[in-house]
């Protein structure tokens, strides 16, 4: 169980992020078009998992926007944005923001949270995914993780992007 904060108050999650050097667990989630995908669908690419509580909050939206900008500079990299938001909300957000080069994934009927046990167990965010970034190499090995210590803060984009090199 992770010990992080939400508005500087203690917050906890079900479990921990996968360890650097391990193979990332496969998972299924739902794209904006309601198709189910798995992590294995991105095999052979470097992957950034940008995980957050809800795209309808300022910090979560900022992380999606930042990775959208950075994605245009990268090759052979898939940026997967994962939340419990419904695909309809993710589609609406992307259309309004002009975001077209990220894969938005909903865990509303997937098993992401089962394999990545980073769901809040308390605070008003109980049941949502905590803010994390996980970077994988082309073989699916974890090369970088960050579970943001204060949920209202953005992740360390520089370190996450450096891990892709």
């Amino acid at each position: 169980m992770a010990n992080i904060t939400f508005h500087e108050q203690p917050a906890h999650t079900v479990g921990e992020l996968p360890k650097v050097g391990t193979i990332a667990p496969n998972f299924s989630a739902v794209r904006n078009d309601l198709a189910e995908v798995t992590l294995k669908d991105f095999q052979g690419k470097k992957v950034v998992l940008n995980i957050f509580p809800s795209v309808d909050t300022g910090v979560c939206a900022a992380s999606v926007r930042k990775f959208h900008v950075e994605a245009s500079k990268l090759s052979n990299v898939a940026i997967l944005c994962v939340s419990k938001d419904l695909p309809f909300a993710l589609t609406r957000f992307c259309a309004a923001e002009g975001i077209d080069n990220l894969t938005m994934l909903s865990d509303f009927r997937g098993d992401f949270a089962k394999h990545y046990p980073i769901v809040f167990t308390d605070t008003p965010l109980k049941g949502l995914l905590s803010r994390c970034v996980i970077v994988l190499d082309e073989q699916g090995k974890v090369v970088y993780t960050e579970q943001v210590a204060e949920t209202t803060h953005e992740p360390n984009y520089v370190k996450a992007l450096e891990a892709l090199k």
Side-chain angles (χ1 to χ4, degrees), residues 19-87:
K19 303 286 184 218
V20 171
T22 64
I23 297 297
N26 193 30
F27 65 85
S28 64
V30 180
R31 282 192 323 229
N32 291 9
D33 63 0
L34 301 178
E36 292 188 18
V37 298
T38 67
L39 180 58
K40 287 184 180 179
D41 294 330
F42 301 92
Q43 196 165 15
K45 291 186 175 197
K46 294 178 182 178
V47 173
V48 176
L49 296 172
N50 177 34
I51 308 156
F52 49 85
S54 175
V55 76
D56 286 323
T57 66
V59 177
C60 299
S63 73
V64 173
R65 288 184 198 108
K66 177 68 174 178
F67 279 118
H68 170 71
V69 169
E70 295 302 325
S72 64
K73 303 173 189 174
L74 305 170
S75 61
N76 200 40
V77 175
I79 299 180
L80 313 181
C81 296
V82 185
S83 73
K84 293 273 188 174
D85 290 304
L86 291 176

